[in-house]
């Protein structure tokens, strides 16, 4: 039995949840059960039942790692699952660690692909700040998280049953305040094209051009840490070791130096484009195409050229 | 109060990684105290400066990891414990080993890095919390103690952030914005040489095995266009992306 923990936004399953179901199916280790944890779980569990035959709904309120681990563990006990699959969101990577410890399981974190071989699971993942690809192996029980955008989302497979799941709520963490960040436009981690601005743009105002190019290309806007630290862009746009990891078809870095910590978030992009006035900037070493020049002159010209192409 | 930081020694991100026999070979790499752990060490020192008591740093790793512990001592931590073990150990097993030391030390809180820069694991902090039966706050950007029993902390989620009140003892993991780590001073480095560093050899059976590592340096095209004529350069770039790469 495999248990899939299904992430949702309180109304719908997230894309990552459908990717996790695909991963569970790929393992082909017998029946699959799902669990929906959090708020408004009944409605989401109904949606989830189109994909898996049994869905547990654990109504536990706002997220804490403790509650998610407790609910997932209750679902493991109820289903008898020896493999748990979840999407490798930042939150999941916290509670799955608690769960794996409790299950005395091997934890395969942030995997790119995975397959079963008898009582073992083999997986690949990146390590060393995304510079190394490694193959790993663990014996059951296993907790596995799937890196977003590495697996095609699952298709519906019939209609399953929803069962409520009682969870003993742990204490210790009390949520006082949620500080939301508005998400507009294309989501950064899912975008096929990302346009990132760096400190070389010189000001928050200069990002109007970055946004315009992104709009023209249907892209998401990214930022470097230097830009976020300067307060020009919100942290939710930061790409890198301590920001988001992206892997789009096209990554355009404008006035970005290409520090290793930034590379850790984007070096697996299919094509990398850089605009920088310094021909020696490290970003050019990992770029497929580049323009050596002043971003204030090149960016407006790029917007024009992109618009012409789209017309 | 007692504050404890758990740290790792990792290769500097700038240093060249080599593969030898299907494994990353670190013999030529410059090894440093993980930069996310530096934030954890700095925070522990600041908490001690503010609330008094003692600070301890703990590492699990090979002999050379002692250098990372000495760096933390030079920054200002009081003493160090080194669990000496070679080779890859998964975070769940690491947590099991580290929990014994933490339980014996009984600190008010543990701070560690948000993600390890070698194994890219984010699991150590939360797994350690589970081993101890403590709450965890990951990707912490702000922390303030409320007496001896609670802390108020701000931390990042996938979307946005939240403020939580946590019962102590608890585990926290670091995130950028938490603080600016201080540099070890020369007197600090001299003093660190005389500070207590206790070594305890451990053996562990990792639950996860690494079969093979490889560096997949994607071969990049490196086609550079001179931007002296920005309009011509922009058109050429857009043409290449459209016709050659076919990504727009
Ligand atoms: C533990 C840790 C974690 C980190 N995590 C992240 C992370 O997640 N993401 C991240 O981005 N960084 C991260 N950093 C910071 C990182 O090391 C760099 O400091 C940062 O990426 C630099 O941002 P930048 O390239 O925008 O700025 P700079 O390094 O200042 O580079 C600006 C570039 O713009 C170019 N330029 C200047 N003017 C022009 C012009 N007119 N036209 C064209 N080009 C121009 C310059 O040649 C230069 O290459 C982290 C650091 C640490 C220690």
């Amino acid at each position: 039995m495999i248990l899939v923990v299904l992430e949702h936004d309180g109304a719908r399953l997230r894309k990552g949840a459908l990717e996790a179901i695909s991963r569970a199916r790929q393992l082909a280790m017998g029946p699959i059960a799902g669990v929906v944890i959090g708020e408004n779980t009944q409605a989401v569990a109904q949606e989830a039942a189109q994909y898996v035959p049994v869905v547990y709904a654990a109504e536990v309120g706002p997220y804490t790692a403790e509650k998610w681990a407790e609910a997932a563990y209750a679902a493991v006990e109820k289903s008898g699952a020896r493999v748990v699959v979840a999407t490798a969101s930042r939150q999941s990577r916290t509670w799955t660690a608690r769960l794996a410890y409790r299950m005395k399981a091997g934890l395969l974190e942030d995997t790119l692909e995975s397959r079963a071989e008898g009582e073992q699971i083999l997986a690949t993942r990146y390590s060393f700040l995304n510079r190394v690809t490694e193959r790993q192996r663990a014996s059951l029980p296993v907790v596995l998280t799937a890196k977003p955008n590495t697996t095609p989302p699952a298709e519906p497979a019939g209609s399953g049953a929803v069962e409520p799941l009682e969870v003993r709520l742990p204490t210790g963490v009390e949520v006082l305040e949620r500080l939301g960040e508005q998400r507009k436009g294309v989501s950064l981690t899912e975008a096929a094209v990302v346009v990132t601005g760096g400190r070389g743009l010189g000001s928050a105002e200069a990002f109007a051009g970055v946004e315009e190019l992104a709009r023209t290309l249907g892209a998401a806007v990214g930022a470097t840490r230097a830009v976020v630290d300067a307060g020009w862009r919100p942290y939710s746009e930061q790409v890198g070791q301590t920001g988001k990891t992206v892997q789009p078809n096209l990554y355009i870095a404008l006035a970005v130096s290409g520090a290793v910590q930034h590379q850790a978030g984007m070096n697996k992009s299919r094509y990398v484009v850089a605009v920088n006035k310094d021909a020696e900037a490290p970003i050019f070493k990992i770029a497929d195409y580049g323009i050596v020049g002043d971003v204030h002159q090149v960016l407006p010209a790029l917007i024009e050229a992109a618009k012409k192409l789209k017309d | 109060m007692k504050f404890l930081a758990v740290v790792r020694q990792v290769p500097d991100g700038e240093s060249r990684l080599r593969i030898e026999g299907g494994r990353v070979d670190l013999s030529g790499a410059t090894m440093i105290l993980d930069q996310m752990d530096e934030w954890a060490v700095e925070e522990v020192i600041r908490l001690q400066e503010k609330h008094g008591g003692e600070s301890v740093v703990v590492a699990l790793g090979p002999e050379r990891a002692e250098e990372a512990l000495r760096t933390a001592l030079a920054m200002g931590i009081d003493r160090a414990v080194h669990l000496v073990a070679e080779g890859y150990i998964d975070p769940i097993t690491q947590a099991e080993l580290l929990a014994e030391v933490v339980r014996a030390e009984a600190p008010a809180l543990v701070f560690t890095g948000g993600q390890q820069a070698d194994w890219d694991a984010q699991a150590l902090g939360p797994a350690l919390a589970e081993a101890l039966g403590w709450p965890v706050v990951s990707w912490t950007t702000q922390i303030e103690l409320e007496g001896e029993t609670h802390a108020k902390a701000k931390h990042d989620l996938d979307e946005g952030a939240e403020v939580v009140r946590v019962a102590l003892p608890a585990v926290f993991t670091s995130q950028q914005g938490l603080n600016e780590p201080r540099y070890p001073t020369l007197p600090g480095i001299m003093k660190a040489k005389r500070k207590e560093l206790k070594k305890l050899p451990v053996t562990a059976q990792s639950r996860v095995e690494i079969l093979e590592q490889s560096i997949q340096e994607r071969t990049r095209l490196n086609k550079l266009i001179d931007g002296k004529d920005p309009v011509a350069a922009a058109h050429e770039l857009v043409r290449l992306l459209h016709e050659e790469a076919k990504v727009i």
Side-chain angles (χ1 to χ4, degrees):
Chain A
M1 179 67 91
I2 303 182
L3 178 75
V4 191
V5 185
L6 301 156
E7 288 206 339
H8 60 100
D9 61 8
R12 299 289 311 269
L13 291 177
R14 285 191 195 278
K15 189 164 154 246
L18 301 182
E19 294 175 3
I21 295 168
S22 284
R23 280 298 191 91
R25 289 183 186 164
Q26 283 171 4
L27 290 173
M29 298 176 92
I32 299 173
V35 60
V36 176
I37 308 169
E39 296 168 288
N40 196 20
T41 54
Q42 269 296 329
V44 181
Q46 293 296 342
E47 184 196 351
Q50 296 166 23
Y51 298 88
V52 285
V54 186
V55 184
Y56 304 109
E59 194 71 22
V60 299
Y63 168 85
T64 69
E66 288 68 32
K67 287 197 278 190
W68 258 242
E70 191 73 49
Y73 190 67
V76 164
E77 293 218 296
K78 190 144 180 198
S79 62
R82 295 180 72 209
V83 178
V84 178
V85 180
T87 185
S89 65
R90 193 172 273 178
Q91 280 159 230
S92 283
R93 289 179 75 180
T94 301
W95 65 256
T96 49
R98 295 200 81 116
L99 177 70
Y101 190 91
R102 205 175 298 189
M103 289 174 68
K104 296 279 170 273
L107 176 65
L108 300 171
E109 243 183 305
D110 205 28
T111 59
L112 302 163
E113 48 186 17
S114 40
R115 66 184 167 87
E117 218 178 72
E119 289 281 285
Q120 295 186 320
I121 294 187
L122 288 102
T124 55
R125 68 188 301 269
Y126 299 133
S127 59
F128 291 88
L129 298 180
N130 251 11
R131 294 160 79 195
V132 168
T133 306
E134 64 189 29
R135 293 199 296 121
Q136 296 191 329
R137 176 168 62 195
S139 298
L140 301 191
V142 163
V143 175
L144 177 155
T145 60
K147 192 179 193 65
N149 282 335
T150 55
T151 322
E155 298 292 337
S159 78
V162 174
E163 283 180 37
L165 185 72
E166 287 298 319
V167 181
R168 186 190 59 87
L169 287 189
T171 52
V173 180
E174 180 195 348
V175 178
L176 302 177
E177 192 186 349
R178 278 300 295 270
L179 312 156
E181 268 168 0
Q182 302 284 343
R183 205 208 272 176
K184 358 169 238 191
V186 190
S187 131
L188 188 56
T189 45
E190 289 168 6
V193 181
V194 173
V195 183
T196 289
R199 176 154 53 194
L201 278 156
S203 69
E205 290 68 40
F207 270 80
V210 178
E211 284 186 340
E212 196 175 351
L213 180 61
R215 256 197 317 276
T216 311
L217 296 174
V221 173
T224 64
R225 178 180 170 185
V227 161
V228 173
D229 282 351
W232 299 346
R233 300 300 290 187
Y235 167 68
S236 57
E237 290 180 359
Q238 184 175 310
V239 173
Q241 182 186 359
T242 46
K244 294 196 165 123
T245 308
V246 300
Q247 199 168 336
N249 283 332
L250 174 61
Y251 188 86
I252 303 180
L254 303 167
V256 168
S257 60
V260 283
Q261 295 91 353
H262 185 75
Q263 288 190 23
M266 50 64 70
N267 62 1
K268 297 292 187 275
S269 303
R270 208 167 123 229
Y271 283 96
V272 174
V273 167
V275 175
N276 200 303
K277 66 176 184 190
D278 174 9
E280 299 301 314
I283 193 78
F284 282 130
K285 298 208 168 56
I286 60 154
D288 294 288
Y289 303 102
I291 297 180
V292 185
D294 187 336
V295 73
H296 301 296
Q297 294 171 6
V298 174
L299 180 53
L302 264 180
I303 294 168
E304 281 314 308
K307 279 188 175 158
K308 216 178 223 164
L309 177 77
K310 295 283 166 182
D311 280 344
Chain B
M1 291 173 97
K2 193 192 276 188
F3 306 98
L4 191 146
V6 172
V7 302
R8 287 190 59 71
Q9 190 199 36
V10 298
D12 186 338
E14 310 270 358
S15 54
R16 257 184 76 84
L17 291 180
R18 289 192 328 133
I19 299 287
E20 199 59 57
R23 284 283 185 286
V24 171
D25 172 15
L26 293 175
S27 57
T30 313
M31 302 299 288
I32 57 167
L33 170 61
D34 194 327
Q35 288 175 309
M36 292 200 81
D37 294 345
E38 256 181 37
W39 289 326
V41 168
E42 175 66 33
E43 201 59 27
V44 159
I45 296 171
R46 288 186 191 193
L47 284 165
Q48 185 192 12
E49 282 168 351
K50 193 159 167 196
H51 302 279
E54 196 189 8
S55 57
V56 186
V57 63
V58 183
L60 168 62
E63 273 301 337
R64 57 169 163 69
E66 181 179 330
E67 297 157 21
L69 288 169
R70 292 281 175 209
T71 304
L73 293 175
M75 285 169 74
I77 299 272
D78 294 331
R79 59 187 175 82
V81 181
H82 183 182
L83 301 185
V84 187
E86 293 292 329
Y88 173 77
I89 304 173
D90 68 276
I92 303 298
T93 311
Q94 286 179 54
E96 224 162 50
L97 295 166
L98 287 162
E100 282 184 43
V101 179
V102 176
R103 232 177 266 122
E105 294 282 350
L109 63 82
V110 170
F111 233 114
T112 190
Q115 172 165 322
Q116 303 172 341
D118 51 355
W119 298 332
D120 286 7
Q122 296 179 8
L124 180 63
L128 182 57
E130 184 66 36
L132 296 160
W134 297 358
V136 65
V137 178
S138 51
W139 300 92
T140 312
T141 52
Q142 235 176 60
I143 178 173
E144 217 175 284
L145 298 191
E146 297 184 333
E148 306 221 331
T149 59
H150 286 82
K152 199 168 138 183
K154 189 173 151 192
H155 75 131
D156 287 343
L157 300 173
D158 285 289
E159 297 293 330
E162 66 183 13
V163 181
V164 292
R165 178 174 293 118
V166 197
L168 298 179
V171 177
F172 297 81
T173 80
S174 67
Q175 165 64 325
Q176 100 188 15
L178 182 63
N179 56 46
E180 272 307 318
R182 66 196 70 191
Y183 290 106
T185 58
L186 193 58
I189 295 166
M190 297 313 288
K191 239 162 100 186
K193 291 190 175 140
R194 294 189 306 272
K195 286 184 180 172
E196 179 187 317
L197 191 154
K198 192 160 80 187
K199 292 212 185 235
L200 303 167
V202 291
T203 47
Q205 184 65 46
S206 181
R207 286 191 175 77
V208 177
E209 192 188 343
I210 293 180
L211 301 175
E212 193 188 13
Q213 294 173 314
S214 56
I215 295 183
Q216 299 221 320
E217 296 283 15
R218 206 176 273 260
T219 2
R220 298 289 180 181
L221 301 171
N222 296 122
K223 288 193 183 172
L224 294 197
I225 307 165
D226 191 330
K228 272 200 200 81
D229 180 347
V231 175
H235 273 93
E236 175 62 1
L237 177 62
V238 167
R239 187 190 70 76
L240 287 166
L241 292 177
H242 182 62
E243 291 174 13
E244 193 176 273
K246 298 190 169 59
V247 282
I248 60 171

